[in-house]
Amino acid sequence: MPENDSFIAGMSGVRFVRLMAELAGLPRSEALERAHEAFFYVGLGEVRYRALGTYSLGMKQAAKLAQAIAHGPKLLFLDEPTNGLDPPARLRMIQLIQEIRDHGDLHLIVSSHLLRDVEECCDEVLILKDGSIAAFCNLEEERRANRRFLEMETRGELNGNFVEAIRALGCETAPGAQGRLKVVLPDGLEIRRLYEIAAAQEVQIRRLNHRRDSLEDIFLKAMEAADGRL
Amino acid sequence: MAVYKKTYRPYEGALTARWSRLLVIPRYAFEDLHRRKFLTTFFFASFLYPLVCAIIIYVQHNASALSLIGAQGAQHLISINVVFFLSLLGWQSMMALFLAAFVGPGQVSPDLANNALALYLARPFSRTEYVLGKMSVLLILLSLMTWVPGLLLFGLESYLEGWSWAVDHARIASGLFFGAWIWILLLALLALALSAWVKWRAAAGTLMFGVFFVASAFGAVINGIERTNWGHLFNISYLVGSVWVWLFEGGQPTTNGAIFFRAPRGETLPLWTSWVGLAALALVCFFMLARKIRGAEVIR
């Protein structure tokens, strides 16, 4: 599914998808059947006999997705699939992609600069910079790692005993100013234990957050030049 | 992914043979052409001349038919010879030019206008297969207009005259076949090349006539100013006509070409220059196609 417009203006939607399915190797009757199915699936069932040139931008995006899936490919490339879509259409497109990913026996490669879309659709992310791989990460692993990273704010000056006590549990700590503390939890340690130690040391935990290292942070880090500029 | 279920399902059925996918393009193109009534009418009207020729051949070999219309000596008026078949080929080839100008521009330009070519080539479908598929539309139509009726008429004449006539005039049959193929290949290449470069269908069709008529006028101007015959190299109908004469008659020509494809007497160029001129035109068309028929522009 290319980023730009790709269609034959004078051809009806279903005929165009059928043509593409036949070129991909489907027999005539199968191609016709699946072209209709694909159009209904992407939500264009009612307009499938209209010429593609008369479609709106969102409809053209959906028609492109229909031609891409009609022949049931094993590998699907989607280049900026939500390009130019309004929020409801974007949501619908993301849902379709997720459904195809979850139900189909296919591998999906999404190319997009909209990182939120990528986060919602992909398991693994490859960030390219100047044609080279700048970063590769598994989003689920990143999320899991983030869950172990805590940012904590305690009342008043940090009590040295409290820090020592949580270090004794295997945590890595980095004290900051004004009672702030960054903590990396070891595997198997529940947060509840931190509260118990804090209570025993008479330290008030006023705020405790998981680090939210989004794909955007990963992207910015990957794009960062050696001198720290983007 | 059934219509009523609206869910995605992968395809697990059989696939067609790779070579047969080439035929998908002409099938869709013929469906489109069939909807255009003018083209369908024009295509069938183009068989009027061969039909008249068939009647002439039949009547000439049927004395009772001639006496019925009171024209007993009429068989001497028209001879079924090289000129007869060259005229047929010339007339049909001109009709083929018109058909190619109507049909050709609609082949590639709609795919390029909105970048649909990328989708063709995203499938297991090569650029060569794409061009062959598109070209086959014109090759089939133009074949039906030129060498197919020509050889049928040759067969009819052979049947009525006797097979010894066919053996004696075998060069006419081969001339019809190869001469027509040279013309239709050239037309198909030119139509596709112009269609690939000019997205507006009407402009591409007009340009096809321009290539033939304006280029020949340009050649005539060169001939007039420079007092030479080399300007004929720009005249495609001259080049084709001189090749046809050689194909039909070999090195001892009795004619100077066919209707619309005639080389003026005393203004002949060496035959090899005609071949080179036609080959150069074909190469230019290939180059134009190769530049435009691409899935994506690669910038290095």
CSV table of all heavy atoms in Angstrom, one decimal, chain A residues 2 18 41 57 80 149 151 181 204:
chain,number,residue,atom,x,y,z
A,2,PRO,N,1.0,1.9,-1.1
A,2,PRO,CA,1.9,3.1,-1.2
A,2,PRO,C,1.3,4.3,-0.5
A,2,PRO,O,0.1,4.4,-0.2
A,2,PRO,CB,2.0,3.3,-2.7
A,2,PRO,CG,0.8,2.6,-3.3
A,2,PRO,CD,0.3,1.6,-2.4
A,18,ARG,N,-10.3,-6.1,-8.1
A,18,ARG,CA,-10.3,-7.4,-8.8
A,18,ARG,C,-9.1,-7.6,-9.7
A,18,ARG,O,-8.5,-8.6,-9.8
A,18,ARG,CB,-11.6,-7.6,-9.5
A,18,ARG,CG,-11.8,-8.9,-10.2
A,18,ARG,CD,-13.0,-8.8,-11.1
A,18,ARG,NE,-13.1,-10.0,-11.9
A,18,ARG,CZ,-13.9,-10.2,-13.0
A,18,ARG,NH1,-14.7,-9.2,-13.3
A,18,ARG,NH2,-13.8,-11.2,-13.7
A,41,TYR,N,-15.0,-5.2,3.9
A,41,TYR,CA,-14.2,-5.2,5.1
A,41,TYR,C,-13.6,-3.9,5.4
A,41,TYR,O,-13.6,-3.5,6.6
A,41,TYR,CB,-13.0,-6.2,4.9
A,41,TYR,CG,-12.1,-6.4,6.0
A,41,TYR,CD1,-12.6,-6.8,7.3
A,41,TYR,CD2,-10.8,-6.0,5.9
A,41,TYR,CE1,-11.7,-6.9,8.3
A,41,TYR,CE2,-9.9,-6.1,7.0
A,41,TYR,CZ,-10.4,-6.6,8.2
A,41,TYR,OH,-9.6,-6.7,9.3
A,57,LEU,N,-10.4,11.4,0.1
A,57,LEU,CA,-9.0,10.9,0.4
A,57,LEU,C,-9.1,9.7,1.3
A,57,LEU,O,-8.3,8.7,1.1
A,57,LEU,CB,-8.3,12.0,1.1
A,57,LEU,CG,-6.8,11.7,1.5
A,57,LEU,CD1,-6.0,11.4,0.2
A,57,LEU,CD2,-6.2,12.9,2.2
A,80,GLU,N,2.7,4.8,5.3
A,80,GLU,CA,1.9,5.9,5.8
A,80,GLU,C,0.4,5.6,5.6
A,80,GLU,O,-0.3,6.3,4.9
A,80,GLU,CB,2.3,7.2,5.1
A,80,GLU,CG,3.7,7.6,5.1
A,80,GLU,CD,4.2,8.2,6.5
A,80,GLU,OE1,3.3,8.2,7.4
A,80,GLU,OE2,5.3,8.5,6.6
A,149,PHE,N,11.1,0.8,36.1
A,149,PHE,CA,11.8,2.0,36.4
A,149,PHE,C,10.9,3.0,37.0
A,149,PHE,O,9.8,3.4,36.5
A,149,PHE,CB,12.3,2.6,35.0
A,149,PHE,CG,13.4,3.7,35.2
A,149,PHE,CD1,14.7,3.4,34.9
A,149,PHE,CD2,13.0,4.9,35.7
A,149,PHE,CE1,15.6,4.4,35.0
A,149,PHE,CE2,14.0,5.9,35.8
A,149,PHE,CZ,15.3,5.7,35.5
A,151,GLU,N,10.1,6.6,39.3
A,151,GLU,CA,10.5,8.0,39.8
A,151,GLU,C,9.7,8.3,41.0
A,151,GLU,O,8.4,8.2,41.0
A,151,GLU,CB,10.3,9.0,38.7
A,151,GLU,CG,11.2,8.8,37.5
A,151,GLU,CD,10.9,9.7,36.3
A,151,GLU,OE1,9.8,10.0,36.1
A,151,GLU,OE2,11.9,10.0,35.6
A,181,LEU,N,13.9,10.6,44.0
A,181,LEU,CA,14.7,9.4,43.9
A,181,LEU,C,14.3,8.5,42.7
A,181,LEU,O,13.1,8.3,42.4
A,181,LEU,CB,14.5,8.5,45.2
A,181,LEU,CG,15.3,7.2,45.3
A,181,LEU,CD1,16.8,7.5,45.5
A,181,LEU,CD2,14.8,6.5,46.6
A,204,GLN,N,7.8,9.5,54.0
A,204,GLN,CA,6.5,9.6,53.3
A,204,GLN,C,6.8,9.6,51.7
A,204,GLN,O,7.6,10.4,51.3
A,204,GLN,CB,5.8,11.0,53.6
A,204,GLN,CG,5.2,11.0,55.0
A,204,GLN,CD,4.4,12.3,55.2
A,204,GLN,OE1,4.1,13.0,54.2
A,204,GLN,NE2,4.2,12.6,56.4
